[in-house]
Amino acid sequence: MRNRITYFFYVGFLMMLASCGISKSQKHQPDLSAYNNTKPVVTKLSDSVFIAGKNSLLKNKQGIWELYAEGDPLEIGLNTGALTDSLLKKQQQIFFSKIGDIVPSKFQQKLLRFFLKWYNRKLYLNVPDEYQAEIYGVSQYTSHDLDNIAPPYQRGLYLHAAHDIGHALQDLALVGCSSFAAWGDKSEDGNLILGRNFDFYVNDAFAENKIVAFIKPKEGHPFMMVTWPGMIGAVSGMNLEGLTITINAGKSEIPLSAKTPISILTREILQHAATIDEAIAIAKKRKVFVSESIMIGSAHDNKAILIEVSPEKMDVYDVPNTDQLFCSNHFQSDAYKNDKRNMSQIANSHSEYRFEKLQELFSQNPKINPKIASDILRNKDGLQNKALGYGNEKALNQFIAHHGIIFKPASKQVWVSANPYQMGEFVCYNLDSIFMERKTKTLNSFEEENLNIAKDPFLKTTAFLNFQKFKIEDDKIDLYLKNKTEISSELIQNYQSLNPDYWVVYYKAGLYFYQKKSFKLARENFEKALTKEITTVADKEAIEKYLKKIRRK
């Protein structure tokens, strides 16, 4: 009874916080008086080509949507929303249905909504006015089916903080990315080249409608970024000055309220900075609520650096005596060298392993060019070519990437991967030709087809076909374990044969047999899992803990 009273006390306290702290934020609307609020008229030319004045949306033959939008912040938002209308509604449904899978209880969902409203009560105070106006424009085309979560505009703000909130509250590394840069003697032509995998995974459906957005704002630099419907923040992008930006999550503390979402900060840098110094100056202006490494590449400086930010401090990691830079999911600057959270991340996660793999591949490739960069991003092996099993987070290619991307800032060239993951064709774009030579009503793809990088040959192998089957079987195994359903030995053997080098297939079999009190079979599978490359220290310790329990039994 005491536990129930305590539980309901906290529930009541949370609801009180929500009701007294969120009223102003829920009523807030951005100031749009300085902007053109004319609703765009969209002309549908086919199922994959739409235009609205000078703005357009086209799906290329590789399945990537190419968006072009220009104007003031509200115009960009309205045109983006109008052109991506049906995609936008679908994307939000996909995202929130995933939340429903994670939190199936209606009561818990209600508590989550209260919490989000309270936690985001100061979010609008930390998003620059121009991006509030753009989010508002996009929100005019979102579905009202989700208004129980929040009104369209506030919901749009929440979604831009979704990565940060999950990252901050659960230490949930939805983004476990790897990135690199080379210039000078390490680059084939001496000019800066960068590559990154954006390992952000909700589900396969979330990455289906990938957008390469080309934005020409009234203020700031024209730029491109890879995004998804409804997202105006930048996770990977380059502007017409040849400044590039990518983000890699770090280890975070838990803040008491939302501040500036990382993707909004990086969008501001992408739009308004031309050099590394200008990027650093913008980063210093904003308060963030998670830890993140921001890789900045600059054609003007012909080098790359890392801006490492957290709720408490910021530092810059520069490498003056070398011509290469690597980034995974831990910090490298002096300010964080002795940080306990960062040291724990290096010791216990898969970040350091991927970092060392990047170093190994660079040592094997003296000169980096776009093709070699794509091979690095697609690499599936461990150190010294050890088989990790497909989907292992120690690999650079974890089979979860929303996209892979390669930049050549001096020539304003960028390559974006088509699905699946970073293994589809890398489609080449040239920002000079798109922004400076663009016709008013182009109906063709912006791609530079002769410079595209071919699909990964791995897509045609039996191993990839088996991996696709493995993902289906893996979901089934999770359901069986959750419901404690009977699993046949044939099903388990088939499951393990589809991805035999992956430690998880033996770990989950061990869990099943442990549930069934078949301790001999459980021990055999747990011991087999330990012979494989296990992702984290915590995962390995969990297996060893089960083995100790079995020995006692």
Side-chain angles (χ1 to χ4, degrees):
M1 177 61 73
R2 182 180 297 171
N3 288 339
R4 290 179 68 184
I5 292 171
T6 303
Y7 175 74
F8 285 110
F9 168 78
Y10 282 119
V11 169
F13 179 66
L14 183 60
M15 295 175 109
M16 180 189 72
L17 286 175
S19 62
C20 69
I22 67 171
S23 177
K24 192 171 182 180
S25 68
Q26 288 293 288
K27 294 176 182 176
H28 171 74
Q29 296 287 296
D31 181 5
L32 308 175
S33 58
Y35 304 130
N36 178 10
N37 64 0
T38 304
K39 289 283 187 80
V41 177
V42 176
T43 302
K44 178 180 178 181
L45 301 180
S46 72
D47 289 340
S48 59
V49 181
F50 306 83
I51 60 170
K54 294 181 179 180
N55 307 275
S56 62
L57 179 71
L58 176 147
K59 191 173 189 178
N60 66 23
K61 64 182 181 181
Q62 293 85 2
I64 299 173
W65 289 98
E66 298 173 2
L67 171 72
Y68 179 91
E70 61 179 50
D72 65 39
L74 182 58
E75 286 176 318
I76 291 172
L78 289 170
N79 279 292
T80 298
L83 287 164
T84 62
D85 178 68
S86 60
L87 302 179
L88 181 58
K89 291 181 172 67
K90 181 181 178 182
Q91 199 75 8
Q92 287 202 1
Q93 287 288 350
I94 290 169
F95 184 83
F96 285 109
S97 67
K98 180 67 174 179
I99 299 298
D101 292 340
I102 297 171
V103 188
S105 164
K106 296 295 182 185
F107 178 68
Q108 289 177 341
Q109 287 177 14
K110 188 174 182 179
L111 286 181
L112 180 61
R113 289 196 293 271
F114 271 116
F115 174 76
L116 287 175
K117 289 173 184 177
W118 176 76
Y119 192 82
N120 285 316
R121 67 197 183 279
K122 295 181 181 179
L123 183 59
Y124 74 98
L125 298 173
N126 290 278
V127 175
D129 292 343
E130 62 181 315
Y131 303 124
Q132 288 195 44
E134 189 172 334
I135 290 169
Y136 180 87
V138 174
S139 74
Q140 300 310 291
Y141 296 89
T142 59
S143 171
H144 286 284
D145 294 343
L146 299 166
D147 285 358
N148 64 318
I149 297 169
Y153 167 64
Q154 278 74 19
R155 195 164 70 239
L157 280 177
Y158 292 0
L159 285 170
H160 283 82
H163 154 60
D164 307 65
I165 292 169
H167 178 29
L169 297 185
Q170 298 184 33
D171 234 355
L172 183 63
L174 283 174
V175 185
C177 312
S178 307
S179 53
F180 59 82
W183 60 93
D185 290 339
K186 195 63 188 175
S187 169
E188 188 175 68
D189 60 3
N191 291 319
L192 176 65
I193 181 171
L194 307 96
R196 76 87 54 96
N197 284 330
F198 184 61
D199 291 323
F200 180 85
Y201 188 78
V202 176
N203 52 34
D204 286 347
F206 189 84
E208 283 178 2
N209 292 309
K210 189 183 307 183
I211 295 175
V212 179
F214 301 93
I215 309 296
K216 189 175 184 180
K218 278 193 173 178
E219 295 184 8
H221 308 294
F223 62 92
M224 68 74 59
M225 62 182 181
V226 185
T227 185
W228 51 87
M231 176 67 163
I232 72 144
V235 296
S236 304
M238 179 170 70
N239 67 26
L240 199 54
E241 292 294 317
L243 183 124
T244 71
I245 195 159
T246 60
I247 57 174
N248 288 41
K251 195 83 167 175
S252 274
E253 291 185 359
I254 300 176
L256 293 176
S257 68
K259 294 180 183 176
T260 304
I262 286 294
S263 68
I264 295 296
L265 167 60
T266 49
R267 164 68 188 271
E268 187 176 10
I269 292 171
L270 186 62
Q271 185 175 337
H272 294 286
T275 65
I276 287 172
D277 286 344
E278 289 177 7
I280 293 170
I282 292 172
K284 286 179 177 178
K285 293 193 306 181
R286 303 294 175 199
K287 292 183 177 180
V288 299
F289 62 109
V290 293
S291 299
E292 206 90 13
S293 292
I294 304 171
M295 183 176 281
I296 303 292
S298 167
H300 290 287
D301 301 287
N302 196 36
K303 63 181 286 189
I305 57 99
L306 295 174
I307 301 174
E308 298 182 336
V309 297
S310 71
E312 305 86 27
K313 55 194 172 185
M314 184 194 112
D315 203 359
V316 175
Y317 181 65
D318 199 350
V319 281
N321 298 318
T322 185
D323 44 19
Q324 60 190 36
L325 179 65
F326 308 113
C327 183
S328 49
N329 296 106
H330 61 268
F331 289 148
Q332 303 174 62
S333 62
D334 290 339
Y336 294 96
K337 276 186 177 177
N338 298 317
D339 181 272
K340 288 183 179 179
R341 285 181 173 270
N342 190 51
M343 291 169 69
S344 172
Q345 179 81 336
I346 293 170
N348 298 311
S349 77
H350 43 80
S351 179
E352 177 66 20
Y353 192 95
R354 285 182 284 112
F355 190 92
E356 291 175 7
K357 183 62 183 180
L358 285 172
Q359 291 177 314
E360 181 183 81
L361 290 172
F362 260 54
S363 69
Q364 295 168 1
N365 294 280
K367 301 284 186 180
I368 307 299
N369 61 28
K371 177 59 172 66
I372 291 172
S374 71
D375 291 339
I376 292 172
L377 296 177
R378 290 167 170 172
N379 190 279
K380 298 167 279 293
D381 299 324
L383 293 169
Q384 299 178 343
N385 296 322
K386 181 174 182 178
L388 297 174
Y390 301 122
N392 195 318
E393 290 172 290
K394 283 189 169 180
L396 297 178
N397 178 2
Q398 302 172 23
F399 294 86
I400 61 171
H402 180 271
H403 62 266
I405 192 166
I406 300 162
F407 301 103
K408 288 277 291 176
S411 57
K412 312 297 169 49
Q413 292 173 304
V414 56
W415 287 260
V416 179
S417 70
N419 289 335
Y421 320 116
Q422 65 276 63
M423 296 190 293
E425 191 173 0
F426 270 88
V427 182
C428 182
Y429 300 99
N430 185 297
L431 268 59
D432 280 334
S433 63
I434 292 169
F435 288 115
M436 301 175 77
E437 302 171 16
R438 183 177 183 274
K439 304 299 181 184
T440 303
K441 291 186 179 180
T442 181
L443 304 179
N444 301 314
S445 170
F446 294 131
E447 68 180 287
E448 305 270 332
E449 192 170 358
N450 61 315
L451 296 176
N452 290 352
I453 298 170
K455 295 178 183 179
D456 190 336
F458 180 74
L459 293 175
K460 295 182 178 179
T461 64
T462 302
F464 180 66
L465 183 64
N466 284 342
F467 174 73
Q468 291 177 303
K469 294 176 182 176
F470 158 76
K471 288 181 65 179
I472 296 169
E473 295 303 308
D474 193 51
D475 288 341
K476 289 181 183 177
I477 294 290
D478 286 341
L479 195 60
Y480 294 148
L481 288 171
K482 180 182 177 181
N483 297 329
K484 298 186 177 181
T485 310
E486 195 75 29
I487 309 175
S488 70
S489 58
E490 291 79 14
L491 193 149
I492 290 175
Q493 289 171 9
N494 177 61
Y495 168 62
Q496 293 177 336
S497 71
L498 293 172
N499 203 352
D501 294 312
Y502 194 24
W503 68 273
V504 168
V505 299
Y506 306 104
Y507 172 62
K508 289 184 178 179
L511 289 179
Y512 169 72
F513 289 120
Y514 188 87
Q515 281 184 0
K516 294 295 180 182
K517 295 184 169 44
S518 299
F519 297 122
K520 182 175 182 295
L521 290 172
R523 185 190 67 207
E524 289 174 1
N525 278 278
F526 285 139
E527 288 176 344
K528 184 70 177 288
L530 288 176
T531 66
K532 305 300 178 181
E533 192 67 54
I534 297 174
T535 307
T536 67
V537 171
D539 292 327
K540 186 176 182 180
E541 288 175 347
I543 296 171
E544 291 171 340
K545 189 174 180 180
Y546 273 110
L547 285 169
K548 285 181 181 178
K549 288 180 180 179
I550 290 170
R551 291 188 194 106
R552 286 200 297 267
K553 292 178 184 300

